[in-house]
């Protein structure tokens, strides 16, 4: 008969220690999810122990994703000292338990400031620029025909005529244009709830005197799953993306074909996503690709949802 020494370890039979270690490990594991430039960090001995304990308990509960090897240990009979309460994720309120829970729903989160005259531009012209930029952001990040249906023409229709031809091939390739549009990976539908949105926009004039609308928004998307009882927590189905993007508004001093919105500089990242999809510029939930070998994050999850924080350059997809 095989003897499982791990199951007899006194710490793994201490209910309070198990709860604390599992909670700590799952929190730190969730911190491993990012896209950007990697920053190397050391993993503490305590985290190694906690992850080992959590991994063992996840093995008991059958929480490893299909195709991912479970720890080589035989599970003991479930007893009152080893059972960990199941995590409950409400698919009707998927953002509960995340930093986005209190944010506005969908379009309500994209609010322009009161328009003021800027340079030679009147308050009315600035207000019109805000309206046009807002329309593009909504189409690119919230319109389900774009996000789930991948219909980029709905974005292109809002740009200046001269911008469409050169922008179309860029938007057609998600790996080159996730800064301008969110597209979820096929096979991972969103839940029928509005994404959560937080951020702001402002306006300045560029060197040519044209208006530029600056946007900085975080969007959190909730994905469907047929097995909510297998989730580790709400962040397993919530993926977020943050992008700072500029929209240049060319006016009457330009040829007619050039007048309108042009896409400008951008910077951003995704978090709590599947790395395989992210490499293709697509968004998919972390539960589809559980990873425990990625480098640890530099901050708590709340940092990556905070629009007042700097854009991170970490890479949680490098092993």
């Amino acid at each position: 008969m095989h003897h499982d020494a791990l199951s007899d370890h006194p710490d793994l039979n201490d209910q309070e220690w198990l709860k604390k270690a599992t909670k700590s490990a799952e929190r730190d594991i969730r911190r491993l999810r990012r896209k950007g430039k990697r920053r190397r960090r050391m993993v503490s001995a305590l985290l190694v122990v906690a992850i080992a304990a959590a991994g063992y308990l996840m093995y008991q509960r059958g929480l490893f994703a299909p195709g991912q090897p479970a720890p080589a240990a035989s599970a003991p009979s479930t007893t009152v000292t080893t059972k960990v309460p199941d995590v409950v994720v409400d698919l009707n309120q998927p953002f509960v338990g995340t930093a986005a829970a209190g944010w506005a729903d969908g379009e309500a989160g994209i609010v322009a400031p009161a328009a003021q005259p800027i340079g030679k531009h009147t308050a009315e012209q600035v207000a019109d620029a805000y309206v046009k930029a807002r329309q593009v952001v909504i189409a690119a990040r919230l319109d389900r025909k774009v996000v789930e249906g991948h219909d980029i023409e709905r974005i292109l229709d809002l740009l200046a005529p001269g911008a469409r031809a050169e922008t179309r091939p860029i938007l057609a390739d998600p790996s080159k244009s996730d800064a301008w549009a969110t597209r979820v990976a096929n096979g991972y539908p969103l839940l029928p709830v509005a994404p959560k949105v937080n951020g702001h926009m402002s306006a300045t004039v560029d060197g040519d005197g044209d208006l530029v609308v600056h946007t900085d928004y975080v969007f959190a998307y909730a994905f469907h799953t047929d097995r909510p009882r297998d989730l580790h927590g709400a962040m397993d189905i919530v993926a977020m993306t943050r992008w700072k993007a500029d929209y240049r508004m060319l006016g009457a001093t330009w040829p007619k074909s050039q007048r309108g919105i042009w896409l400008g500089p951008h910077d951003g990242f995704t978090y709590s996503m599947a790395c395989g999809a992210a490499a293709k510029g697509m968004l998919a939930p972390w539960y589809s690709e559980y990873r425990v070998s990625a480098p640890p994050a530099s901050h708590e999850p709340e940092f990556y949802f905070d629009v007042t924080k700097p854009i991170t350059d970490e890479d949680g997809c490098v092993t």
Side-chain angles (χ1 to χ4, degrees):
M1 178 177 180
H2 174 71
H3 175 67
D4 183 3
L6 183 58
S7 67
D8 293 333
H9 192 285
D11 283 337
L12 293 181
N13 285 279
D14 182 327
Q15 186 177 22
E16 291 304 314
W17 187 92
L18 279 170
K19 289 180 180 179
K20 291 179 181 179
T22 303
K23 183 177 180 180
S24 175
E26 291 185 346
R27 181 182 67 247
D28 285 307
I29 289 171
R30 287 194 296 270
R31 291 173 61 194
L32 303 179
R33 299 169 274 183
R34 224 121 24 261
K35 181 184 177 186
K37 183 178 179 180
R38 177 180 180 178
R39 291 178 182 172
R40 193 177 301 275
R41 289 291 182 272
M42 297 293 291
V43 181
S44 70
L46 178 59
L47 176 58
V48 172
V49 172
I51 290 176
Y56 180 71
L57 293 170
M58 290 174 191
Y59 171 85
Q60 289 180 290
R61 295 160 60 192
L63 296 182
F64 284 93
Q68 182 173 355
S74 59
S77 298
T78 301
T79 68
V80 69
T81 59
T82 60
K83 183 174 176 58
V84 176
D86 291 333
V87 172
V88 177
V89 176
D90 185 352
L91 298 186
N92 294 312
Q93 301 182 77
F95 297 102
V96 172
T98 74
W103 293 358
D105 294 325
E107 297 181 19
I110 305 175
V111 180
Q116 302 290 335
I118 301 176
K120 64 182 181 181
H121 304 280
T122 66
E124 290 74 17
Q125 290 173 319
V126 174
D128 182 64
Y130 283 145
V131 168
K132 291 177 179 177
R134 183 175 184 271
Q135 290 174 337
V136 176
V137 173
I138 289 172
R141 304 295 182 186
L142 300 174
D143 186 336
R144 294 208 173 214
K145 291 183 179 179
V146 174
V147 176
E148 293 188 282
H150 305 171
D151 181 4
I152 62 170
E153 295 299 321
R154 297 175 72 84
I155 303 172
L156 293 168
D157 287 345
L158 298 172
L159 303 184
R164 295 169 193 165
E166 68 178 56
T167 306
R168 182 174 282 105
I170 298 173
L171 288 179
D173 184 349
S175 68
K176 297 178 180 178
S177 58
D178 55 349
W180 295 115
T182 298
R183 278 156 288 189
V184 302
N186 293 327
Y188 298 100
L190 296 175
L191 287 168
V193 297
K196 290 289 187 176
V197 182
N198 190 34
H200 53 82
M201 68 173 68
S202 62
T204 61
V205 293
D206 63 14
D208 294 323
D210 295 305
L211 279 172
V212 178
V213 175
H214 310 281
T215 66
D216 189 353
Y217 286 98
V218 183
F219 300 86
Y221 302 86
F223 287 82
H224 172 76
T225 176
D226 292 324
R227 303 180 65 182
R229 300 288 295 184
D230 288 353
L231 301 175
H232 303 165
M235 288 304 299
D236 284 6
I237 60 169
V238 173
M240 61 77 70
T241 183
R242 177 185 174 188
W243 289 98
K244 299 176 70 173
D246 289 352
Y247 300 89
R248 189 181 182 203
M249 310 290 172
L250 301 189
T253 59
W254 292 83
K256 189 173 182 179
S257 65
Q258 306 298 303
R259 298 174 192 170
I261 301 178
W262 290 73
L263 305 182
H266 55 270
D267 189 19
F269 63 91
T270 58
Y271 178 78
S272 190
M273 73 295 172
C275 289
K280 301 174 183 178
M282 310 292 279
L283 197 65
W286 196 58
Y287 79 75
S288 67
E289 192 181 293
Y290 284 129
R291 294 162 57 86
V292 296
S293 59
S298 300
H299 310 280
E300 292 294 328
E302 291 75 14
F303 176 94
Y304 304 98
F305 283 80
D306 191 342
V307 75
T308 68
K309 302 299 184 184
I311 296 291
T312 179
D313 64 354
E314 300 164 77
D315 189 350
C317 292
V318 176
T319 57

